[in-house]
């Protein structure tokens, strides 16, 4: 066997073990006009920077910090390729599958949705590495100059790689959300805008960071880096899971993965707060930090809750078949199983946990109030959405989860502006004094609670009590409306008797009733 | 509504069907795209799925291909449910949609290679599968050609090759002959026939070209407005339609051929004259050596007519009821309802 043949067999052997999408996309990308143009442009611009930079510096290149200046210029060049061209390629990659009618062929192959998403992401990473390898000789050139800082260069290159992967994943996820061809042109323009925005933001942060010395020796710096990595990592996982869920077959479990990651994110946030306060004492974790984290958690659970609590409640045979055999275990994991009823339970559990954390004795009363009121608001609005969703589905099978979500947002928006309508139409006079009629507006209500805490006015405190009582009653009603559904959601999975485990072949389903359409 | 024809095929024990639709329903809002569709197909069978545009063919095929889920009911491929076990179904199924999905910057071999990998074929197995498909579809010579530059006929061959790459038991072909020139159609027809006869595959094929389907299909299901109107072997459907025609009009259409003789024109003219004189014979149409006419009698009277023809000295070599083509049957069965 010649060495050429040996090499061919070796590459064949290796590529057989790789993700098929990665192999295909890399083959396609390396032949594509977009890649060739970007690659040549990158080399040309980097070469021009080197030549004109050297001429501009003249003999001064041997002194000062020319190395850092050259690196910054190269970093922006590679940034354009890795933060704009590559993520946009990821976005287009999935849309092209739909445009060229190849997605359906892909989806009926034995590749899993996760393999498809991972393959597309890996092919983006391969491109990033190729661009990095193209710029590497130029960065090596900067290492010969004064002002070159290996630690800083490594940090920025790794940060660029991490951010590029993250943005590519987000782009990929967004492309799976856009299945309607009529909206694709608008989505593409939106995506370009989003990518330019994040790239300019990343450049601005980089520019600020380049002018400072990086405090590698300070613990706080590593806390920030760690927090950023955990945040990016978990949102990366969430975006990946959403993309996978979007591509997953309808009768399969599309929900549990997203629920688990959202739960993980919540506990990582508060676990991080606890770890930080454990290391540095509660002095560094002040009330504003807790309120900030509460708001992040509230937004997180409002969005998650709105999606998971309006899902269809039906659990397919396929999902049932894969559930745990032990009833007690199914009971425990019920909130993470698909279905709106169980979704609302998941939300309720976490809002209770958030309230418990926020009402710990170490925080003052006003923080207790803020956290409680925030959790109540999230529960009330999502519970209304869940009830609307169930009611809508009971009235018409054409009522979809998306309708329930939009309706919830509209109800929320209406509830928030309704108290101001009489004044807006001139029926009453607007005096900027908070009344209980504005309790539907979370923004204004929370502001009033915080202002009351800072001014410590007795009339204000009475109003806070009224707010808490009112919201408590509304939440209790919302809870009672949804209580039966939540109980059914748990009991139906707990009481389900597993039967078919080896696949639902014709013989296993023989005699099964055909559901009424 | 015409009742679905009970199929002879189901009466004969042919083992487990490799394809089965069981009370399949698919509703889009109020539109009943597929409304209680049931049928079966066995290995080695080519089944035509016939219906006007919007009848529910593509929707049913997409459900079978695990691209869509039924509102109710189920479908099974090699015993596996498309709802519960789409992953397993995909191993046994090849689907060729009506539009050929092309990738940019890819040649024929790379295209097949990708799908071979996507179906989990590795090493020699993958290379053998690609080679086999290239030989079967006669695309060997075009192996390095970019798929963007393939003709429609070659693209359809490549599409068929893609379906075959993992050697599925069941193949679903949605309008594979659409847009092909006559030669490409004939060649594709031969390939499809080979799939069933040589490779023992079950082929479900939809097409608007009914004459062609009539030639390659063993059985057919006729669908309109989401409902199966007729289902059985092609012969069964044609015979059934002929008998329905007879029952509804009280007439049977008969065909006579006379032997070639020195004076064929004269013999034909004599036959036409004789037929026109018969009381129960209507609408006589003659061409050289042939006569077609409607007969209003029963079997005994038909027998008597044949005897009279012979006695009258006409050189009869064929006398039979006129069979309906699949196209005739389709036109009779469907009503042109669109949803």
């Amino acid at each position: 066997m010649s060495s050429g043949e040996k090499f061919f067999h070796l590459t064949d052997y290796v590529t057989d073990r790789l993700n098929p999408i990665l192999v295909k996309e890399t083959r396609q990308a390396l032949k594509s006009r977009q890649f060739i143009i970007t690659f040549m442009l990158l080399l040309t611009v980097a070469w021009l920077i080197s030549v004109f930079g050297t001429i501009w510096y003249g003999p001064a290149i041997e002194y000062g910090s020319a190395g850092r200046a050259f690196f910054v210029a190269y970093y922006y060049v590679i940034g354009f390729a890795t933060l704009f061209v590559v993520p946009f390629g990821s976005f287009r990659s999935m849309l092209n599958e739909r445009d060229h009618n190849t997605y359906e062929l892909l989806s009926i192959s034995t590749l899993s949705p996760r393999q498809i998403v991972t393959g597309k992401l890996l092919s983006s990473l391969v491109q990033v590495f190729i661009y990095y390898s193209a710029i590497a000789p130029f960065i090596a050139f900067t290492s010969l100059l004064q002002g070159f800082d290996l630690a800083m260069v490594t940090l920025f290159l790794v940060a660029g790689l991490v951010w590029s992967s993250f943005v590519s994943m987000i782009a990929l996820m967004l492309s799976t959300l856009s299945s309607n061809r009529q909206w694709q042109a608008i989505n593409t323009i939106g995506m370009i805008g989003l990518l330019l925005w994040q790239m300019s933001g990343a450049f601005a942060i980089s520019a600020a960071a380049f002018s400072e010395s990086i405090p590698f020796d300070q613990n706080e710096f590593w806390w920030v880096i760690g927090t950023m990595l955990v945040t990016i990592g978990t949102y990366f996982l969430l975006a990946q899971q959403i993309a996978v869920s979007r591509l997953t077959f309808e009768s399969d479990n599309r929900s549990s993965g997203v629920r688990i990651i959202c739960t993980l994110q919540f506990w990582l946030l508060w676990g991080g707060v606890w770890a930080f306060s454990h290391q540095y004492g509660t002095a560094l974790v002040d009330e504003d930090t807790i309120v900030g984290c509460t708001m992040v958690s509230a937004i997180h659970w409002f969005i998650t809750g709105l999606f998971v609590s309006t899902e269809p409640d039906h659990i397919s045979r396929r999902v049932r078949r894969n559930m745990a055999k032990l009833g007690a275990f199914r009971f425990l994991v019920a909130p993470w199983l698909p279905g709106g009823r169980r979704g609302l339970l998941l939300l309720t559990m976490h809002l209770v946990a958030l309230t418990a954390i926020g009402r710990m004795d170490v925080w003052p009363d006003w923080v207790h109030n803020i956290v409680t009121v925030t959790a109540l608001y999230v529960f009330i609005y999502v519970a209304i959405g869940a009830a609307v969703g169930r009611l809508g589905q009971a009235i018409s099978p054409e009522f979809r989860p998306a309708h329930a979500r939009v309706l919830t947002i509209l109800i929320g928006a209406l509830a928030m502006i309704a108290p101001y309508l009489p004044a807006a139409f001139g029926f009453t006079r607007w005096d900027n004094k908070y009344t209980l009629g504005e309790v539907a507006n979370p923004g204004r209500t929370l502001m009033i609670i915080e202002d009351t805490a800072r001014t410590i006015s007795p009339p204000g405190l009475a109003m806070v009590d009224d707010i808490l009582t009112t919201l408590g009653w509304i939440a209790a009603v919302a809870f009672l409306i949804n209580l039966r559904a939540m109980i059914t959601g748990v009991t139906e999975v707990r009481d389900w008797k597993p039967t078919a485990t080896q696949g639902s072949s014709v013989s296993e389903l023989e005699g099964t009733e055909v559901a009424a359409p | 509504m015409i009742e679905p024809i009970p199929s002879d095929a189901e009466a004969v024990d042919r083992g487990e069907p490799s394809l089965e639709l069981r009370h399949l329903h698919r509703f889009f809002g109020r539109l009943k795209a597929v409304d209680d569709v049931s049928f079966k197909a066995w290995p080695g069978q080519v089944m035509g799925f016939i219906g006007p545009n919007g009848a529910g063919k593509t929707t049913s095929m997409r459900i079978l291909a695990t691209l869509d889920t039924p509102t109710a009911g189920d479908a099974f491929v090699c015993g596996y449910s498309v709802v519960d076990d789409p992953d397993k179904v995909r191993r046994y199924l090849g689907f060729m949609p009506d539009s050929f999905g092309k990738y940019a910057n890819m040649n024929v071999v790379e295209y097949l290679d990708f799908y071979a990998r996507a179906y989990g074929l590795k090493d020699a197995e993958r290379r053998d599968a690609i080679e086999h498909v290239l030989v079967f579809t006669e695309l060997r010579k075009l192996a390095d050609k970019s798929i963007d530059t393939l003709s429609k006929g070659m693209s359809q061959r490549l599409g068929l090759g893609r379906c075959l790459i993992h050697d599925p038991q069941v193949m679903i072909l949605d309008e594979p002959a659409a847009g092909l020139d006559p030669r490409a159609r004939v060649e594709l027809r031969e390939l499809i026939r080979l799939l069933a006869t040589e490779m023992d595959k079950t082929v479900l094929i939809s097409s608007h070209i009914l004459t062609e389907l009539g030639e390659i299909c063993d059985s057919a299901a006729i669908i309109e407005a989401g409902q199966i109107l007729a289902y059985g072997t092609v012969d069964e459907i044609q015979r059934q339609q002929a008998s329905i025609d007879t029952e509804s009009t009280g007439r049977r259409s008969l065909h006579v051929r006379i032997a070639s003789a020195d004076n064929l024109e004269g013999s034909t003219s004599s036959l036409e004259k004789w037929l026109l004189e018969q009381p129960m014979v209507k609408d006589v149409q003659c061409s050289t050596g042939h006569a077609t006419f409607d007969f209003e009698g029963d079997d005994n009277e038909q027998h008597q007519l044949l005897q009279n023809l012979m006695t009258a000295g006409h050189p009869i070599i064929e006398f039979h009821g006129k069979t309906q083509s699949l196209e005739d049957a389709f036109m009779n069965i469907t009503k042109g309802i669109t949803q």
Side-chain angles (χ1 to χ4, degrees):
Chain A
M1 193 184 280
S2 69
S3 56
E5 282 174 338
K6 271 185 191 165
F7 178 74
F8 171 76
H9 280 290
L10 181 69
T11 52
D12 223 25
Y13 178 83
V14 172
T15 57
D16 264 336
R17 269 87 199 150
L18 295 176
N19 185 311
I21 304 271
L22 170 65
V23 177
K24 182 211 77 161
E25 299 260 321
T26 307
R27 268 180 185 161
Q28 279 182 288
L30 296 182
K31 284 189 203 171
S32 75
R33 200 178 298 166
Q34 175 212 302
F35 174 78
I36 293 165
I37 290 172
T38 312
F39 192 80
M40 295 310 293
L41 209 63
L42 187 142
L43 287 178
T44 309
V45 173
W47 185 81
L48 288 173
I49 289 169
S50 308
V51 171
F52 287 103
T54 308
I55 293 168
W56 188 70
Y57 265 100
I61 201 165
E62 299 209 18
Y63 317 102
S65 58
R68 177 177 283 229
F70 271 100
F71 173 73
V72 170
Y74 296 139
Y75 192 74
Y76 288 147
V77 173
I78 189 100
F80 176 74
T82 58
L83 301 182
F84 181 78
V85 178
V86 172
F88 187 67
S90 290
F91 178 74
R92 283 304 315 168
S93 164
M94 191 59 87
L95 292 187
N96 283 342
E97 296 277 3
R98 293 192 199 277
D99 286 350
H100 298 161
N101 298 315
T102 49
Y103 178 68
E104 292 192 338
L105 304 180
L106 202 60
S107 68
I108 58 168
S109 72
T110 51
L111 287 174
S112 66
R114 192 169 298 280
Q115 278 177 297
I116 294 173
V117 172
T118 310
K120 294 218 172 261
L121 184 75
L122 286 175
S123 76
S124 300
L125 280 180
V126 166
Q127 288 181 58
V128 171
F129 279 118
I130 291 172
Y131 292 132
Y132 266 40
S133 65
I135 208 86
F138 297 98
I139 292 176
F141 158 70
T142 63
S143 70
L144 302 172
L145 304 174
Q146 293 293 321
F148 179 82
D149 182 350
L150 183 63
M152 184 201 77
V153 166
T154 309
L155 177 76
F156 276 92
L157 289 179
V158 171
L161 178 68
V162 169
W163 188 248
S164 174
S165 312
F166 176 67
V167 175
S168 296
M169 189 66 250
I170 298 288
L172 208 53
M173 188 254 314
L174 291 175
S175 71
T176 63
L177 300 179
S178 140
S179 55
N180 189 337
R181 287 188 185 183
Q182 283 134 351
W183 286 95
Q184 278 187 14
I186 296 167
N187 290 342
T188 303
I189 293 166
M191 192 69 219
I192 290 172
L194 197 68
L195 288 174
L196 287 174
W197 172 76
Q198 66 81 30
M199 186 180 72
S200 49
F203 282 179
I205 292 169
S206 304
F210 284 135
S211 59
E212 305 283 331
S213 64
I214 297 167
F216 287 109
D217 54 343
Q218 289 181 15
N219 278 349
E220 286 82 357
F221 169 76
W222 292 109
W223 266 99
V224 171
I225 292 289
T227 306
M228 283 168 68
L229 280 177
V230 169
T231 308
I232 289 172
T234 57
Y235 277 100
F236 177 93
L237 283 178
L238 182 63
Q240 188 192 36
Q241 188 56 46
I242 292 171
V244 168
S245 297
R246 291 284 303 171
L247 303 182
T248 296
F249 193 59
E250 207 177 318
S251 68
D252 215 333
N253 187 346
R254 291 172 156 185
S255 186
S256 292
V258 174
R259 290 179 191 218
I260 291 167
I261 292 170
C262 287
T263 305
L264 182 77
Q265 284 182 311
F266 174 79
W267 289 110
L268 274 172
L269 172 69
W270 289 103
V273 171
W274 175 82
F276 192 79
S277 63
H278 186 71
Q279 184 165 356
Y280 297 102
T282 48
L284 274 176
V285 185
D286 58 9
E287 291 93 342
D288 290 338
T289 310
I290 297 303
V291 170
C293 289
T294 300
M295 292 305 148
V296 169
S297 298
I299 294 166
H300 176 82
W301 279 113
F302 177 74
I303 296 169
T304 307
L306 197 55
F307 276 87
V308 298
S309 64
T310 49
E311 281 178 1
D313 285 312
H314 172 73
I315 299 188
S316 70
R317 290 196 301 250
R318 185 172 165 77
V319 175
R320 280 169 192 262
R321 212 177 52 212
N322 294 326
M323 286 198 304
K325 289 206 174 80
L326 197 65
F329 186 72
R330 287 201 303 276
F331 174 78
L332 287 175
V333 300
W336 288 272
L337 291 173
R341 296 161 178 166
R342 288 168 289 278
L344 188 62
L345 185 64
L346 181 77
L347 173 87
T348 311
M349 280 164 49
H350 283 90
L351 290 178
V352 169
L354 176 67
T355 313
I357 294 167
R359 292 190 74 92
M360 281 161 62
D361 287 341
V362 286
W363 319 121
D365 280 349
W366 73 271
V367 173
H368 293 175
N369 293 339
I370 290 270
V371 174
T372 309
V373 167
T374 306
L376 287 173
Y377 271 123
V378 173
F379 178 77
I380 290 166
Y381 279 114
V382 176
I384 288 171
V388 165
R390 285 200 309 279
L391 185 69
Q393 278 167 13
I395 293 169
S396 164
E398 289 172 48
F399 192 85
R400 303 270 163 214
H403 297 147
R405 288 161 200 156
V406 172
L407 216 53
T408 308
I409 302 287
L410 291 176
I411 290 169
L414 192 67
M416 279 184 234
I417 59 169
Y420 311 112
L421 289 179
F425 289 107
F427 298 123
T428 55
R429 220 172 120 256
W430 171 249
D431 59 1
N432 200 28
K433 193 181 166 204
Y434 183 85
T435 63
L436 214 49
E438 294 171 75
V439 79
N441 187 337
R444 184 148 161 81
T445 307
L446 288 167
M447 220 185 306
I448 290 296
I449 294 174
E450 197 180 348
D451 286 351
T452 305
R454 297 203 193 280
T455 54
I456 321 177
S457 67
L461 289 174
M463 177 58 83
V464 170
D465 285 341
D466 288 346
I467 290 169
L468 277 167
T469 311
T470 310
L471 285 175
W473 276 109
I474 298 170
V477 172
F479 181 76
L480 287 173
I481 290 171
N482 287 284
L483 180 61
R484 197 175 154 208
M486 285 194 278
I487 292 171
T488 312
V490 176
T491 52
E492 73 179 355
V493 293
R494 185 200 59 191
D495 300 339
W496 175 74
K497 302 272 185 298
T499 48
T501 52
Q502 298 299 314
S504 303
S505 67
V506 178
S507 54
E508 284 166 345
L509 292 170
E510 207 73 64
T512 52
E513 273 184 43
V514 174
Chain B
M1 190 189 105
I2 300 165
E3 287 299 315
I5 301 165
S7 170
D8 283 354
E10 287 186 32
V12 181
D13 183 16
R14 302 176 71 170
E16 286 291 311
S18 42
L19 184 68
E20 180 181 359
L21 278 75
R22 199 187 289 176
H23 303 297
L24 201 69
H25 294 75
R26 181 67 172 104
F27 299 168
F28 298 104
R30 288 181 188 147
L31 175 73
K32 295 179 176 180
V34 178
D35 188 8
D36 200 13
V37 166
S38 300
F39 62 77
K40 296 175 185 176
W42 281 265
Q45 199 174 14
V46 181
M47 180 174 223
F49 199 28
I50 308 165
N53 289 333
K57 302 186 297 290
T58 299
T59 306
S60 305
M61 286 180 148
R62 286 175 60 81
I63 291 172
L64 275 169
T66 71
L67 287 168
D68 196 1
T69 47
T71 309
D74 210 338
F76 300 88
V77 173
C78 295
Y80 291 105
S81 158
V82 295
V83 180
D84 294 335
D85 289 301
D87 305 343
K88 285 177 184 153
V89 165
R90 287 166 189 167
R91 291 183 189 281
Y92 295 100
L93 186 103
F95 176 57
M96 187 171 163
D98 52 356
S99 58
F100 176 68
K102 285 182 182 179
Y103 282 113
N105 306 314
M106 202 177 253
N107 65 29
V108 169
V109 168
E110 286 170 347
Y111 184 79
L112 293 173
D113 179 79
F114 166 60
Y115 282 103
R117 289 172 193 269
Y119 279 100
L121 305 182
K122 285 185 166 48
D123 303 321
E125 194 186 9
R126 174 171 54 80
R127 288 191 289 273
D128 290 348
I130 295 169
E131 188 57 33
H132 176 251
V133 163
L134 286 174
V135 171
F136 180 76
T137 54
E138 295 172 14
L139 286 170
R140 194 84 203 75
K141 282 183 284 185
L142 304 175
D144 296 324
K145 199 171 164 73
S146 168
I147 56 174
D148 291 331
T149 59
L150 291 180
S151 67
K152 175 82 180 166
M154 289 300 129
S155 293
Q156 290 300 78
R157 276 171 181 258
L158 184 58
L160 191 66
R162 180 194 54 73
C163 286
L164 272 174
I165 198 81
H166 60 298
D167 193 22
Q169 175 57 47
V170 176
M171 298 196 64
I172 296 175
L173 314 177
D174 192 5
E175 300 283 349
L180 295 186
D181 63 47
R183 172 174 285 277
R185 275 215 306 266
V186 171
E187 287 171 353
L188 188 71
R189 193 174 71 198
E190 288 311 308
L191 287 179
I192 292 167
R193 194 69 240 174
L194 282 175
L195 290 172
T197 54
E198 305 272 306
M199 299 162 99
D200 205 31
K201 299 199 182 299
T202 307
V203 182
L204 179 68
I205 176 171
S206 76
S207 175
H208 284 123
I209 307 160
L210 299 181
T211 45
E212 214 157 73
L213 277 186
E215 285 175 40
I216 57 169
C217 295
D218 320 297
S219 55
I222 297 180
I223 184 171
E224 186 173 46
Q227 293 184 318
I228 294 288
L229 302 182
Y231 157 54
T233 64
V234 173
D235 281 347
E236 282 168 354
I237 293 175
Q238 290 168 342
R239 267 189 278 127
Q240 180 86 358
Q241 279 312 302
S243 75
I244 288 170
D245 268 4
T246 306
E247 280 168 25
S248 60
T249 60
R251 290 180 177 189
R252 57 186 72 192
S253 191
L254 297 175
H255 179 257
V256 172
R257 188 158 79 92
I258 52 177
S260 298
D262 291 341
N263 185 11
L264 188 59
E265 295 283 339
S267 302
T268 309
S269 168
S270 161
L271 174 67
E272 185 177 12
K273 192 178 168 197
W274 186 89
L275 284 169
L276 287 169
E277 288 167 358
Q278 304 308 307
M280 282 181 281
V281 171
K282 308 282 177 201
D283 297 340
V284 178
Q285 289 176 347
C286 285
S287 58
T288 312
H290 296 266
T292 305
F293 54 92
D294 286 349
F295 183 66
E296 291 181 331
D298 58 18
D299 285 352
N300 288 332
E301 288 160 333
Q302 187 178 328
H303 178 232
Q304 190 58 51
L305 178 75
L306 178 60
Q307 273 190 336
N308 293 345
L309 266 169
M310 301 300 285
T311 313
H314 296 289
I316 304 296
I317 54 170
E318 274 182 28
F319 180 91
H320 55 78
K322 189 184 162 216
T323 54
Q324 285 211 328
S325 67
L326 194 58
E327 201 161 19
D328 296 330
F330 175 77
M331 292 306 290
N332 286 341
I333 292 168
T334 58
K335 299 178 185 72
I337 299 169
T338 49
Q339 295 194 90

